[in-house]
Amino acid sequence: MVGLTIDLLAKLHDLENAATKHDLLSIYLDAVLSVGNVHVTIVELNRIEDPKENFIHVGYPTEWVNFYIENNYIVSDPIIKKSRFMSHPYFWHEIKNINKAEKKIIRDVSEFGIKKGLTIPVHTHDRVIYAICFAFTDKNIDREIELYLRALSNFFITGYKKLDEPADMSLPILTPREKECLTWTAKGKSSWETGMIVGVSERTVNFHINNALLKLKCTNRIMGVVRAICAGLIEL
């Protein structure tokens, strides 16, 4: 516990001195992943009247993310939805008052090597909610690790808001081809397979996908697909 406390203080100091959101996120992820056996995803939500989500970071196993997207779980995921109404951390298996479809999501995630899940909701003064979701590959989570992650996460969001820039609320404009290529990517198709389906070369598919990622301000395809679906730019 002493070692974890010393490490926490050092990480909080690093977070405090981060100059950009990119640096802040890198420091935070490094600190989280140092505990081992954990994946983390960070989602930004507004209040009930604006239910769209913005995925700041997706760190779940790729197989689960693909399955999640293919089954359109984004619209009914209780792991995220409960953050709108709860201000304290909750383990996924303890989520109550959910319907059959929502229970299925909780069951399905366990089929992808996730033994336990924890969400830390952080509500900020400007009516924004951050759901920080931890997926553990180990069923037994020490209380010290939980407290470590809670302290890190709250400090991370404080820093994130401090570095906040005026948000550009306008949706990026994707061309029909960019939407088409992203949609097939969301369905698990490779660039080569997408090219065969739409009748263009693999290189052309990569060109359109990379353009879409630039417009969406995403660094990888998974983030791009998730953000495009959440923004209503593509449908499955």
Side-chain angles (χ1 to χ4, degrees):
M1 179 62 180
V2 174
L4 203 57
T5 302
I6 293 173
D7 181 66
L8 173 62
L9 293 174
K11 295 300 184 184
L12 295 183
H13 180 268
D14 291 341
L15 289 170
E16 177 71 24
N17 292 321
T20 67
K21 282 188 174 182
H22 179 272
D23 292 342
L24 185 79
L25 180 60
S26 294
I27 294 166
Y28 174 73
L29 293 177
D30 180 65
V32 168
L33 298 178
S34 69
V35 306
N37 303 316
V38 64
H39 304 275
V40 60
T41 289
I42 307 169
V43 189
E44 181 182 62
L45 312 96
N46 286 327
R47 298 292 186 180
I48 300 170
E49 63 270 17
D50 184 10
K52 287 186 178 179
E53 299 90 8
N54 173 38
F55 283 73
I56 295 172
H57 175 76
V58 178
Y60 289 148
T62 301
E63 295 80 6
W64 167 243
V65 174
N66 290 337
F67 186 82
Y68 185 95
I69 291 170
E70 289 168 8
N71 287 276
N72 202 26
Y73 281 170
I74 289 174
V75 299
S76 57
D77 185 354
I79 293 167
I80 296 173
K81 283 171 59 178
K82 288 295 178 181
S83 292
R84 298 184 189 278
F85 313 105
M86 300 179 70
S87 58
H88 57 84
Y90 51 90
F91 286 101
W92 301 349
H93 68 278
E94 296 174 346
I95 298 175
K96 302 187 184 304
N97 302 318
I98 57 178
N99 59 40
K100 190 176 295 185
E102 292 169 335
K103 288 179 181 177
K104 184 177 186 304
I105 295 176
I106 301 293
R107 287 197 307 271
D108 284 349
V109 70
S110 66
E111 299 297 321
F112 290 82
I114 305 304
K115 304 301 182 184
K116 197 166 190 176
L118 170 69
T119 293
I120 298 176
V122 182
H123 294 240
T124 62
H125 64 88
D126 54 352
R127 298 174 63 79
V128 175
I129 305 157
Y130 294 87
I132 305 180
C133 306
F134 300 95
F136 299 93
T137 56
D138 192 335
K139 193 172 185 178
N140 299 312
I141 308 302
D142 291 340
R143 176 65 172 168
E144 289 81 3
I145 289 179
E146 180 189 342
L147 294 175
Y148 175 81
L149 294 176
R150 288 172 64 175
L152 271 178
S153 298
N154 280 280
F155 210 84
F156 165 73
I157 294 301
T158 298
Y160 192 84
K161 298 301 290 184
K162 185 174 69 173
L163 293 170
D164 227 350
E165 300 168 350
D168 180 4
M169 300 305 292
S170 61
L171 293 176
I173 299 175
L174 301 183
T175 67
R177 186 67 86 188
E178 288 165 355
K179 291 181 180 180
E180 187 176 30
C181 290
L182 267 186
T183 299
W184 285 113
T185 299
K187 294 179 179 180
K189 301 300 183 184
S190 66
S191 292
W192 182 84
E193 290 171 321
T194 298
M196 294 295 291
I197 293 168
V198 303
V200 299
S201 69
E202 179 179 4
R203 184 176 179 180
T204 299
V205 172
N206 288 333
F207 171 79
H208 289 301
I209 289 177
N210 289 335
N211 278 348
L213 295 181
L214 285 173
K215 292 177 181 180
L216 292 163
K217 298 180 181 178
C218 296
T219 56
N220 60 65
R221 295 186 182 201
I222 288 176
M223 280 293 298
V225 165
V226 170
R227 190 158 292 173
I229 292 174
C230 289
L233 297 173
I234 63 173
E235 295 180 358
L236 299 183

